[in-house]
Amino acid sequence: MNSPVTPTSQSGSAEESSDPEAVDRLLARIWAELLGLDPGDITPDSSFLRLGGDSVLAVRMAALVRTRVSVVLELSDVTVDVTFAELSEVVRRRSAEGADAGRASEVPIEVEPRADRTAPFPLMPLQQGYFVGQQGGWELSYDSAHFYGDVGLTGVDGEEAVDALTDAVERLAEHQPTLRARVDPEGRQYVLPPEAPGAVPEVRVYDLRDSPENEVTDTLTRTRSEMSTTGPDPVRGPGVDVRITLLPGDRARLHTAMSLLVFDGWSATVLNRELLTLSADWNAVLPPLEIDFGDYVAALERLPSTEAWTADRDWWWSRLDTLPDPPALPLRTDPKDIQPTLMATRERHLSPERWAALRDACARHDVTPSAAMLAAFAVVLGRWAGHRSLLLNSLQLNRLPLHPDIHRVVGAFASTMLVPVELPTRATFATIAAETQRVFGEHATHNLVSGVEVSRELARRRGTTRPVGPVVFQSTLGMDAAIGETQPSSAGPLGEVSFGDFYHQLRTPQVAIEARVYELAGGMAVVFSYVEELFAPEHVDAAFADMFGLVESLADGTGWDTPVELPDEVAAPRDGLRIGQLDAERATADTGPLRDGLERDLAEIWEELLDTPILDRGTDFFHVGGDSLLVVRVLSRLAQRTGLTVGVRDFLDAPTVAGLAAAARNGVSR
Amino acid sequence: MSAERESGTIGVLGGSGTVGRVAVNRLAEAGTGSLRVGARDVERARAAVREAGVAASRARVLGVDLRDPAQLAAFCSGCSVVVNCAGPSYQVLDTVARAALAAGADYVDAAGDTVAMRALSAEAPTELETRSAVFSAGLMPGLSGLLPRLLAEDGPLERLDTYVGGAAAIGPLSAVDALLTRGPGFGTALAAWRGGAVVPNALSPLRSVALPGFRGRVHAWPFLSAEAEELAATLGVDELRNYTVYVSERIPEALAGAWARDDVPIEEHVPSVVAAADADVAVGGPWYTLLFHARPRDRDRSGPTRLILRTPDSYALSGVVAALAARSLVEGGVPPGTHAAADVLDPRRTLDDLVADALVDEVDLG
Ligand SMILES: NC(=O)c1ccc[n+]([C@@H]2O[C@H](COP(=O)([O-])OP(=O)(O)OC[C@H]3O[C@@H](n4cnc5c(N)ncnc54)[C@H](OP(=O)(O)O)[C@@H]3O)[C@@H](O)[C@H]2O)c1
């Protein structure tokens, strides 16, 4: 089977992406162009890797497929070792899914290096959420939104390790400007020049090489607790905190905490790899990056003026009023009454063999592993919440493929996407997974408008300041392949990395429970992160057991074809304390003319920030274009001009001029 | 001075129209002398007088075409006040005013902007030394220049915002006036008054905004009218923003479309303006709001800073204002000369009269 995929190397341009042969011709031309080949050299079983492709080119390829064939590929579709026949098959499948979903919109913008790399730039929507969360703005928020992890190292060169790590962090901060990123109190971000004092994160060292066992345990416990509860805050210093504990027996632990305000999960993976690569070799040079995160944000700022963006927005807006409620999981405490400090986790791993089996089973059923895991989580939630129509939130780590370097740049690219799931009764899991994949794909083709913006509008329409999507799914299955180069396990003076010996903690605001699936040491990890105060422990136990059991049955093939048991109810039950209950009707606003000097000052501040007249004391901030970031700005200006301080949550409780004035006068602040 | 003038006859020209018939009714109800109603179509005028609930004995109907000077002079002769509710205003300008003054009558115009006043002042009739001509005695211009003064009574203003509009049918005659009210003399789109001068392009349209007193979301188009400019100067405000409010973009689009085609006679654009207004009214019936919002220079001062007035019918309410202006003339409350109604009517008393009028749904001053 080595005949070329294209009979003639040059064909007409009037190709239809619905015609399979035309699609193959387009794909062959893309490969030929990227790999410097003649399209005639490409055979169905030639793999991208063998023809000279690498991960950089693979992402570029996905970008070209998106613009020229109008098909959006998923992360896991774009592996470097994909063969031409496999890619052609995937493109056909995605294009068939996209046919119901509407074509992927072409993104008519490009990322270019900005003239001034130190100029401040706005926060992306999800960053805004984290930023406001850090000010205690949301129910379920923390002083810092961050990820913490520590991993075991063996065969460490105790004399060299610290220098190697310190030097690696310095070089990394040179290579990835986002390590030097800061956020100002009004919610704008900027990058410090490398020579600015404090720009480069400092490595902290705990030398316990000669310490007794109990001191080692104590220090580890203390460090973990401290780094889990007090994350790095880019408003005050670097957004990353790197520490190393040197242990007896040439062992060590590498601790990293990263602020979600500046790094997403993808970036964490990239940073860890680059840190190890640089630590391993004093002379290692990372391929230079043409663009940085600020360039990407600057490019994205042009999106709303494009037709493609407007079309996506209209698509979402037209669906908002019919979206279901989030899973009505029974609660033991009202989220507004708690101040959690940590999220609890449940975690189990699928061995590399079973993970391979799961991938095969998914392929046989024509679904991606991510779609299957999302469907499994939805089934578990449906049983737990007692209804079948659910609004889930998903964390999206993929970046818009606007530049070939984009996947190697670190930053807070992540976004969310709302996914409504309607679980049918008496259907097999295979059917549910296929439908979930279709729905997910349909929504993902409209991803120019971020889920954070969609959620904000949904909250506005539902008249609530509570999170509208507090139940989250996140899959990074396929991300490793998309990033390319596998994790180096050997890091020179830092020794060998034991991925099996990995401890981690995540705190994300506005999340009640989040399911995460990712690849780890060749296998797959299934994790629930949740706010412990909210749920009865036996409920979480049961749900997690249900989830993992379902995953195992999918891996061994038995879970696909029997009808899935689900409750009869479609809509969320209303009894008792549950997720998704909206705030009690806001006290009918105190309307009327602005009453006094304070209300007039407030109205003026609102006008400055919202660019719309504020003519009534009952005006709701969120009905006149306000968002959470602007709340922070209003409060900061209020404090500047009047010396009065109000907490974000107090503002959200009564977001009118009259309400804010009352809060300011009472001097309430949490 | 004829005997009839002494007994105080008020002539309403165009008294069968949307504005005029209400003026007739209110004047009759107030019992301000006897009435004379003029229009070209006598039958229609009689019917209008009947419908206005005025006894035929109290209102004489005269056939008159204002373009015929002899007929016009005959209509004015013997009146103590002539109230003009005929149009189009841009064509009438000072025609009726001159005839009224020549007949020794005072004059009220339910329309008539600065342009009409200038026309009259250009070669001012000597009668103006003793008689008065009051223009812009309607809703806008008229109430829009008068009522905001109530907000400045308790202290000077830093900023004044005025929003006037809603959904109202526009007759073919008023459509011509709407199409012609642009250019120098009328006002400047997108301009604001700042620091004693007109600042062009200072404001942008507010699309889909919620405004107190207005229904749902509306579109507000900045237009610094001659009247608003006058008001700003009179009150000495630092900034004035004047908006015309529409329930949809249909009317602004129809007007813009017409202005873009000035090779075509203006009359040909009338149907599209009338249709746009009808479409607006079809959505939720007729309604109209005046909203004035002041930011006092002294932030902590007391006294009202906002006024909302709502009416179902802006045209009819203009008739009410014209009648109030006529009453003021009869009472001798207006000095001789040419004036805008906003400069000579008493804002407080006018508001009280409006509160009592059936055509006013709500007045909220606070
Ligand atoms: N300031 C404001 O806020 C405001 C608001 C609304 C209207 N206006 C103005 O008020 C005026 C009247 O508007 P409208 O909507 O009431 O108009 P309308 O309903 O068409 O009434 C016009 C009246 O004038 C009469 N008329 C027309 N041409 C005439 C002529 N050549 N000679 C004598 N009488 C004539 C008509 O009767 P015949 O056809 O039988 O002659 C009718 O009685 C317009 O200039 C308009 O711009 C001002």
Side-chain angles (χ1 to χ4, degrees), chain B residues 14-19 39-41 44 64-67 85-87 89 110-111 138-141 173-174 177 315 318:
Chain B
S16 57
T18 321
V19 175
R40 289 167 304 181
D41 184 333
R44 208 165 73 99
V64 50
D65 186 336
L66 67 87
R67 286 168 298 191
C85 299
S89 178
L139 188 151
M140 180 176 70
L173 193 138
S174 297
D177 279 341
Y315 282 72
S318 291

Side-chain angles (χ1 to χ4, degrees), chain B residues 177-216:
Chain B
D177 279 341
L179 282 161
L180 284 163
T181 43
R182 70 178 196 124
F186 292 106
T188 319
L190 307 183
W193 173 273
R194 273 184 199 153
V198 177
V199 180
N201 294 313
L203 304 173
S204 25
L206 301 169
R207 291 201 164 79
S208 198
V209 288
L211 297 171
F214 287 79
R215 284 202 216 156

Side-chain angles (χ1 to χ4, degrees), chain A residues 600-601 604 615-616 623, chain B residues 159 163 217 295 299 306:
Chain A
R600 288 179 190 131
D601 287 340
E604 192 175 336
L615 310 173
D616 195 284
H623 289 183
Chain B
R159 196 175 104 193
Y163 301 84
R217 299 222 159 225
R295 187 188 283 172
R299 291 297 166 90
R306 192 179 78 177

Side-chain angles (χ1 to χ4, degrees), chain A residues 300-433:
Chain A
L300 249 50
E301 273 200 287
R302 295 196 294 274
L303 260 187
S305 59
T306 65
E307 270 174 40
W309 185 90
T310 311
D312 278 7
R313 192 215 36 211
D314 293 347
W315 188 90
W316 279 105
W317 267 215
S318 71
R319 274 163 179 73
L320 286 179
D321 294 333
T322 53
L323 285 180
D325 291 325
L329 304 177
L331 300 174
R332 56 174 177 174
T333 335
D334 192 323
K336 76 174 182 320
D337 297 333
I338 53 168
Q339 298 278 338
T341 53
L342 271 181
M343 290 178 90
T345 45
R346 296 290 152 98
E347 172 167 359
R348 285 191 69 180
H349 297 174
L350 215 53
S351 69
E353 297 71 45
R354 304 194 82 188
W355 164 224
L358 177 61
R359 283 199 310 266
D360 288 346
C362 288
R364 276 198 306 281
H365 289 93
D366 260 352
V367 292
T368 63
S370 289
M373 292 303 100
L374 173 59
F377 186 44
V379 165
V380 169
L381 290 168
R383 291 173 181 157
W384 184 1
H387 63 112
R388 290 184 284 112
S389 183
L390 316 166
L391 183 63
L392 301 190
N393 209 345
S394 66
L395 194 71
Q396 301 292 307
L397 292 182
N398 44 330
R399 298 108 193 255
L400 294 175
L402 301 176
H403 190 280
D405 287 349
I406 205 76
H407 70 300
R408 293 189 296 124
V409 175
V410 306
F413 293 87
S415 176
T416 61
M417 182 175 94
L418 292 177
V419 194
V421 181
E422 309 283 342
L423 296 166
T425 45
R426 285 180 293 282
T428 63
F429 186 83
T431 310
I432 294 176

Side-chain angles (χ1 to χ4, degrees), chain A residues 460 591-598 600-601 603-604 607 611-617 623-624, chain B residues 158-159 161 163 206 209 211-212 217 241 291 293 295-296 298-301 303 305-306 364 366:
Chain A
R460 195 184 68 72
T591 57
L594 304 168
R595 204 169 271 174
D596 56 21
L598 178 57
R600 288 179 190 131
D601 287 340
E604 192 175 336
E607 284 194 3
D611 207 20
T612 191
I614 304 298
L615 310 173
D616 195 284
R617 61 199 302 266
H623 289 183
V624 288
Chain B
E158 182 179 303
R159 196 175 104 193
D161 292 8
Y163 301 84
L206 301 169
V209 288
L211 297 171
R217 299 222 159 225
R241 305 178 177 189
L291 161 66
H293 186 271
R295 187 188 283 172
D298 167 11
R299 291 297 166 90
D300 294 306
R301 81 130 154 93
T305 53
R306 192 179 78 177
D364 177 13

